[in-house]
Amino acid sequence: MSRSLLSYEDVIESSGGVHVLGTGTFCFTDVQTDSRNVAEGTLFVPLIGENQDGHAYIPQAIEKGARVVFVNFKNFEADSNMYASLSQKNPSVFFIAVDDNLSALQKIAGRYVEQFPDLIKIGVTGSSGKTTTKEILRSVLSQKYNVVSNKGNLNSETGLPLSVFSIRPEHKVGLFEMGMNRQDEIKEIAGVLKPTFAVVTNIGTAHIGILGSRANIAKEKSHIFDYINHFGTAVIPKDDDFTEFLASQVDGNVVYYGQGMPENVTMTADCGLDGIDFSISGMPVHLSLPGSYNYKNALAAVTLAQVLGLTPEEIKNGVESFKSIFGRSEIIHGYYTIIKDCYNANPDSMEKALDFMSSVNGNHKKFLVLGDMLELGSDSAKAHSRIGEIASEMDSVCVFVGPEMNAAYKSYTGSDSKYVADKSDGSIAEIVDFIKRNASKDDIVLIKGSRGMALERVCDALSGEA
């Protein structure tokens, strides 16, 4: 039998749970919150959401091989006969009752991380650019260390705890992105990893509809520094409105990037769609991602890499071996040149994308397919209207997609635009048809919107023209 990720004693003590049912050998080798992902030997943590209660899927999870199950005390008490019947049929499955399943998941994840005291623990957060920064940093640090990190953007109150269970003894660096969409979320998940090194990309307006202000966002993001404790280092952008505030929250070393920092890094050429050239201590380096905002993400990664002792050669190899992530500034060359940036969108990243499009020179026509920026709350209409104003100043054809983008469409004063009210498959087909009727070979198409808009469907259809 494989060794359990945590002992029975560690799980009970850290979660504050009570072992209510099950006998035999306690062992789990995986942790899941989605019953569809359960395999033999899983600890299943059913979560209670707005629309459904994961406890309903416990029988299916056990059938698929769950060997330990967390149960909310209230659910257990309300349906004790059902759980007793399940246990009778599956006597080797351990049922552990806890006050709150999500909190218990976070606590056992934190206990698991404690088993690796020599691990270099790095957290990355920010309103935009954090996944790109994390992935560049992972590519760079992998030149020297065995690195484990969260896949994609599994960076939330559930995603981060699940991700840390992928840490193994052979790993030397644990690099984890931390996102948030509510108050105290960074504080909670920082308490799981307890990073001693931390990178902040920026303080923007993502999720401002929930947090209320950029000051509140900065305060929440600053909790990533809670565990630096004299030993570690915080990497902070020099040009952010909240630079001084962020630095004041660090009990340890602070290093800055941007505005000529670090001093041994110099941008040498903006290659447009082909990326950015820069140098480290005189050594030329090419970043394949386009846009000054992506250079800044790379600069954050380079800065921390130097703190951790990587050589210019190692950093160069890591940056140049980095490949773009799905939907994040991905350049697709075909009949049209498509900039696929549809994994996420907020006012900061949208403005940066438009700024980049403005900087691209050439005789080819530019098309902007801009989808809703979600979770902006009461600021949504103003933020979307601002995007329409910025797009008006560009020499491009604009397609605004979604109910929130109606404000952008109304504020747009350019000569050529189209509005599509929703994200249905019919609307996607309408967008594709519009571009095909108006665009020529090698014209540039930016596709940008929040993940919930699923605008990659436009890209999939257009890239078939290659």
Side-chain angles (χ1 to χ4, degrees):
M1 182 178 292
S2 299
R3 185 184 176 200
S4 185
L5 293 177
L6 280 172
S7 69
Y8 169 85
E9 292 77 14
D10 276 333
V11 170
I12 295 297
E13 182 182 322
S14 61
S15 68
V18 176
H19 174 202
V20 290
L21 294 166
T23 59
T25 301
F26 181 90
C27 181
F28 67 95
T29 55
D30 189 24
V31 183
Q32 295 292 340
T33 58
D34 188 332
S35 62
R36 293 169 296 184
N37 297 330
V38 169
E40 182 65 35
T42 296
L43 187 163
F44 178 57
V45 184
L47 301 178
I48 301 174
E50 292 182 6
N51 301 317
Q52 60 181 351
D53 186 339
H55 289 80
Y57 299 96
I58 289 177
Q60 292 96 313
I62 292 174
E63 186 176 335
K64 294 183 73 173
R67 289 295 167 257
V68 182
V69 177
F70 279 178
V71 183
N72 187 286
F73 268 118
K74 291 181 179 178
N75 291 67
F76 182 76
E77 292 169 356
D79 211 352
S80 57
N81 289 335
M82 186 275 288
Y83 288 107
S85 176
L86 265 178
S87 181
Q88 206 168 25
K89 296 174 184 175
N90 304 276
S92 63
V93 175
F94 280 70
F95 288 83
I96 297 175
V98 296
D99 286 326
D100 179 270
N101 285 3
L102 175 59
S103 177
L105 170 63
Q106 293 173 348
K107 288 174 180 176
I108 66 167
R111 179 61 62 91
Y112 180 73
V113 174
E114 290 174 4
Q115 296 184 135
F116 306 94
D118 296 329
L119 186 73
I120 299 171
K121 296 177 292 185
I122 304 170
V124 179
T125 195
S127 294
S128 60
K130 52 186 174 292
T131 302
T132 300
T133 300
K134 179 204 70 178
E135 290 297 327
I136 296 174
L137 188 54
R138 183 171 69 89
S139 182
V140 171
L141 294 181
S142 294
Q143 305 302 311
K144 181 175 181 178
Y145 299 106
N146 191 331
V147 180
V148 60
S149 65
N150 35 4
K151 296 178 180 178
N153 68 335
L154 288 174
N155 60 15
S156 65
E157 60 188 5
T158 56
L160 187 281
L162 291 175
S163 294
V164 301
F165 281 107
S166 60
I167 299 171
R168 294 293 182 268
E170 63 268 22
H171 293 130
K172 302 303 180 185
V173 171
L175 171 62
F176 294 92
E177 174 185 339
M178 298 181 179
M180 68 170 192
N181 57 20
R182 64 171 175 82
Q183 189 173 353
D184 292 332
E185 189 165 3
I186 295 292
K187 185 176 183 178
E188 287 177 12
I189 60 180
V192 172
L193 181 64
K194 295 183 173 63
T196 49
F197 296 88
V199 178
V200 175
T201 59
N202 54 21
I203 302 298
T205 54
H207 309 302
I208 198 169
I210 300 169
L211 275 294
S213 69
R214 288 181 68 215
N216 288 340
I217 291 170
K219 185 176 181 180
E220 183 61 31
K221 296 289 188 184
S222 71
H223 284 296
I224 198 170
F225 306 139
D226 285 355
Y227 300 91
I228 287 180
N229 295 336
H230 302 293
F231 170 76
T233 297
V235 178
I236 297 173
K238 184 64 176 175
D239 58 355
D240 197 278
D241 294 346
F242 290 88
T243 296
E244 290 186 12
F245 169 77
L246 292 171
S248 73
Q249 303 302 299
V250 181
D251 183 14
N253 185 39
V254 177
V255 295
Y256 301 95
Y257 65 95
Q259 294 189 335
M261 295 182 167
E263 294 180 355
N264 68 325
V265 181
T266 304
M267 180 176 169
T268 54
D270 185 338
C271 306
L273 293 176
D274 294 324
I276 301 285
D277 286 338
F278 65 100
S279 66
I280 304 174
S281 299
M283 175 173 291
V285 183
H286 178 72
L287 173 69
S288 61
L289 292 180
S292 59
Y293 56 99
N294 279 318
Y295 170 65
K296 188 177 177 183
N297 294 333
L299 203 56
V302 169
T303 302
L304 182 54
Q306 292 191 149
V307 169
L308 293 174
L310 273 77
T311 66
E313 291 84 358
E314 289 170 331
I315 296 172
K316 172 185 172 70
N317 292 337
V319 170
E320 294 187 344
S321 62
F322 168 77
K323 304 299 180 184
S324 63
I325 316 159
F326 161 75
R328 296 177 187 270
S329 302
E330 185 179 354
I331 309 297
I332 300 173
H333 294 285
Y335 186 82
Y336 311 110
T337 298
I338 299 173
I339 304 172
K340 183 180 180 183
D341 195 358
C342 49
Y343 197 86
N344 198 7
N346 57 59
D348 306 293
S349 65
M350 186 72 79
E351 288 189 27
K352 289 172 182 173
L354 295 182
D355 182 61
F356 167 69
M357 284 292 284
S358 294
S359 72
V360 175
N361 298 317
N363 298 321
H364 303 296
K365 206 170 183 180
K366 299 176 186 177
F367 289 78
L368 311 177
V369 180
L370 308 179
D372 284 352
M373 301 177 290
L374 304 178
E375 298 183 344
L376 296 183
S378 60
D379 287 337
S380 183
K382 181 179 178 181
H384 283 84
S385 180
R386 171 65 179 155
I387 295 304
E389 293 169 2
I390 295 172
S392 299
E393 300 171 3
M394 301 172 61
D395 182 17
S396 59
V397 179
C398 294
V399 181
F400 300 99
V401 188
E404 301 299 321
M405 272 294 169
N406 189 38
Y409 177 66
K410 288 180 177 178
S411 68
Y412 182 75
T413 57
S415 59
D416 204 351
S417 68
K418 179 179 179 60
Y419 175 64
V420 179
D422 59 45
K423 61 178 182 179
S424 66
D425 288 343
S427 293
I428 297 298
E430 186 180 343
I431 296 166
V432 171
D433 178 66
F434 175 80
I435 293 174
K436 287 183 176 180
R437 283 189 287 105
N438 291 279
S440 302
K441 187 177 186 302
D442 295 328
D443 283 348
I444 302 171
V445 184
L446 168 69
I447 304 173
K448 177 75 176 173
S450 283
R451 182 71 190 91
M453 298 300 292
L455 292 183
E456 67 274 7
R457 292 173 293 167
V458 176
C459 177
D460 294 342
L462 291 178
S463 60
E465 296 296 301

